Amino acid sequence: MSENNILVSDSSNVLSLTEDLASNEYPGRGLMLGTTPDGTTSVLVYFIMGRSENSRNRVFVETEDGIRTEAFDPSKCSDPSLIIYHPIREYNGKTIVTNGDQTDTIRDALADGMSYIDALRTCRFEPDAPNFTSRISGVLNEDGSYDLSILKYFHSDPDACKRYFFEYDKPVKGRGHFLHTYLCNGDPLPFFLGEPKCVFVEDTPIDAFADSVWEALNEQNKISLFVRYINMRTGEKQTVIKNKLQK
């Protein structure tokens, strides 16, 4: 099967999200989409981590249709190009989550009647040599189904982009899929390998769940966390945002 084809994930190795995070000093930026054990609620998780002062100088700020990143101390923002963006945006019942400006690219494509795949075929991994950070993206639908994608570079040819698309056409009770930019810490940072990780989604109130994810993230490197529960029947939303830096 071509690396550019749409792949359907059927992972049987189910992990604990918090245990996986606690064992990884630097997964980078990560997202998880899934469904609560009773099948009523979609769950979305997005977090950012950083090693440089420029990257760590950020917070999540709510917007009309999602969130954006913002420099905590504008005087210390040396390069906003890859760190200031909208991680979460909503459009026509869909929730878009990504680690870069492709959030806007996907949103605009949907508004023009195209698909998220059409949008991501115009995007590439980030131009941040030597890491060439992967672009990770997700689209959560009103019925709980979701799509994930990762755009990566070839080690042997950084001018070439590998595009992977994963479709989950039915919410599975108590399960989710987790995708992050880096395999682990390193220099340069090794990129994520394989398909998104299948993880358990526990029957936990949102505040307790967000606390457990926040505590699992490496204390030195974590920056911000966004967690949202969406009732698939009513559309009611619950949201928790955590920022390491507080005004």
Side-chain angles (χ1 to χ4, degrees):
M1 179 177 288
S2 167
E3 288 177 323
N4 283 342
N5 284 348
I6 300 171
L7 305 179
V8 180
S9 172
D10 186 23
S11 176
S12 59
N13 183 23
V14 187
L15 306 173
S16 162
L17 175 63
T18 53
E19 289 179 5
D20 191 65
L21 287 173
S23 67
N24 193 340
E25 180 182 61
Y26 199 66
R29 287 164 278 177
L31 65 90
M32 190 280 289
L33 299 176
T35 308
T36 54
D38 62 7
T40 66
T41 304
S42 294
V43 179
L44 184 156
V45 175
Y46 180 70
F47 63 82
I48 58 175
M49 307 180 80
R51 302 189 300 180
S52 68
E53 180 181 42
N54 187 54
S55 183
R56 290 176 176 175
N57 179 39
R58 289 185 289 171
V59 292
F60 283 166
V61 177
E62 289 192 85
T63 64
E64 183 177 352
D65 66 347
I67 59 171
R68 61 182 171 86
T69 58
E70 183 178 279
F72 178 75
D73 183 348
S75 68
K76 295 181 179 179
C77 185
S78 58
D79 180 8
S81 62
L82 294 175
I83 65 168
I84 303 301
Y85 58 94
H86 293 89
I88 311 286
R89 293 194 70 183
E90 299 172 348
Y91 177 75
N92 198 26
K94 298 180 183 291
T95 305
I96 307 159
V97 50
T98 89
N99 70 326
D101 61 13
Q102 72 267 29
T103 309
D104 297 336
T105 305
I106 294 172
R107 191 268 175 206
D108 293 345
L110 295 177
D112 288 339
M114 297 185 291
S115 71
Y116 89 101
I117 294 177
D118 295 326
L120 290 174
R121 290 202 186 281
T122 71
C123 302
R124 293 166 56 83
F125 49 83
E126 295 183 358
D128 59 338
N131 297 312
F132 298 108
T133 299
S134 300
R135 290 189 186 270
I136 57 173
S137 307
V139 178
L140 175 62
N141 302 307
E142 289 180 294
D143 64 359
S145 63
Y146 51 90
D147 305 288
L148 295 174
S149 173
I150 183 166
L151 311 183
K152 302 191 290 187
Y153 83 108
F154 280 96
H155 280 293
S156 57
D157 186 354
D159 289 328
C161 182
K162 298 187 287 185
R163 295 182 172 89
Y164 298 87
F165 301 102
F166 305 87
E167 292 187 329
Y168 304 89
D169 64 1
K170 178 183 177 181
V172 178
K173 295 179 180 180
R175 297 291 185 270
H177 288 89
F178 175 40
L179 188 60
H180 47 93
T181 53
Y182 308 125
L183 187 64
C184 57
N185 210 348
D187 191 16
L189 290 157
F191 56 65
F192 182 90
L193 296 174
E195 67 176 272
K197 301 173 180 176
C198 188
V199 296
F200 291 107
V201 178
E202 307 293 346
D203 183 15
T204 309
I206 190 170
D207 289 320
F209 176 61
D211 285 345
S212 68
V213 174
W214 186 245
E215 291 168 6
L217 291 168
N218 181 271
E219 180 63 29
Q220 182 178 2
N221 296 318
K222 66 184 178 183
I223 298 173
S224 297
L225 169 69
F226 176 95
V227 178
R228 173 165 286 175
Y229 284 8
I230 305 174
N231 186 291
M232 284 182 256
R233 183 177 63 83
T234 66
E236 179 185 0
K237 302 168 189 171
Q238 301 177 68
T239 302
V240 173
I241 295 175
K242 292 182 177 292
N243 291 307
K244 188 172 183 178
L245 297 176
Q246 299 287 340
K247 295 185 178 180

